[in-house]
Amino acid sequence: MGQSYGDLFAPWEISVAKSLVRDFQCRYPWLKLDFNDLLQECLIHWHKARIAFTAEKVPLPKAYVNKVIRNKLDNILEQQLAEKRKLEHFVRSLDQPTGEEMPLREVIADTEARLEDEVPLRVDVTKAVSELGPFQREVCKLLAQGYSIREVAARLGKSKSSIHREIGEIRRSFRDKGLDEYMS
């Protein structure tokens, strides 16, 4: 359902804001922020910043709107990352049961034991990735960060079919090293 802003904003202002919010959500899909909420935050911010706008000071109004809204989206990203970090530093007793009714101390010990078993695998995968070409390493890095193939192609300026071919080459390389079962 669309939102009506009446005469508060020109259609081009809303269009610029929507475009920037869509791009922001594509770059940071893990944030899980609602499109309409982000759009509204950006338009409110622009409405407040517009007071300082004059045609004499800023000859290109679309560029100015673009800059103001990008800054707002950057601030939102910083706030979200700060919130995420707060949760990581949550203090908890090692003897306090976790959701599995197992004290945290035992969960950590169990995790450490599993990680020790995975160290040789990690070394093998790291070595296999280091033997890839620079472009293939960049593809791996972006995919590991959660980008879709379409987004990887756009970021690297290549076609989706080109990225699919590179992924095929990466898979073959991993398969040759006996690591094909770890490719997802």
Side-chain angles (χ1 to χ4, degrees):
M1 177 156 79
Q3 293 187 354
S4 172
Y5 296 102
D7 293 333
L8 281 176
F9 303 103
W12 67 267
E13 291 172 311
I14 295 171
S15 176
V16 168
K18 283 182 177 180
S19 174
L20 291 171
V21 169
R22 264 190 233 100
D23 181 54
F24 180 80
Q25 285 189 311
C26 285
R27 280 186 290 144
Y28 306 105
W30 48 269
L31 284 177
K32 306 282 189 238
L33 297 172
D34 181 65
F35 176 83
N36 288 324
D37 290 344
L38 279 173
L39 179 62
Q40 188 168 339
E41 284 286 324
C42 291
L43 288 173
I44 288 170
H45 183 71
W46 165 240
H47 184 68
K48 292 176 184 175
R50 188 167 51 184
I51 296 167
F53 172 78
T54 61
E56 298 84 43
K57 289 183 187 176
V58 184
L60 302 170
K62 286 186 181 179
Y64 184 64
V65 171
N66 195 317
K67 183 177 179 180
V68 169
I69 292 177
R70 280 187 191 276
N71 287 341
K72 178 61 179 173
L73 290 168
D74 287 343
N75 290 342
I76 290 170
L77 176 62
E78 285 177 27
Q79 290 170 346
Q80 292 292 316
L81 291 173
E83 286 299 314
K84 190 174 180 183
R85 284 190 298 269
K86 283 181 189 175
L87 293 175
E88 291 176 357
H89 298 295
F90 182 69
V91 179
R92 189 173 193 177
S93 166
L94 291 177
D95 296 318
Q96 181 179 356
T98 61
E100 300 143 3
E101 296 304 317
M102 183 191 275
L104 190 56
R105 183 182 320 276
E106 291 176 28
V107 171
I108 291 170
D110 184 48
T111 304
E112 286 173 348
R114 277 185 283 145
L115 287 176
E116 286 175 9
D117 293 340
E118 294 175 5
V119 169
L121 169 64
R122 219 179 296 152
V123 170
D124 290 346
V125 170
T126 302
K127 185 174 186 278
V129 170
S130 71
E131 292 173 2
L132 296 173
F135 184 73
Q136 290 174 336
R137 283 195 303 271
E138 187 65 21
V139 169
C140 285
K141 183 178 99 177
L142 292 171
L143 289 172
Q145 291 174 351
Y147 289 100
S148 69
I149 291 176
R150 180 182 55 81
E151 293 167 331
V152 170
R155 283 183 158 266
L156 299 177
K158 301 287 183 180
S159 67
K160 287 192 318 185
S161 61
S162 171
I163 300 303
H164 279 289
R165 275 192 305 277
E166 290 301 326
I167 291 171
E169 291 297 319
I170 293 166
R171 286 182 188 279
R172 270 188 283 292
S173 175
F174 271 59
R175 192 175 318 116
D176 292 346
K177 293 171 177 57
L179 298 170
D180 56 329
E181 66 186 87
Y182 302 105
M183 294 291 295
S184 53

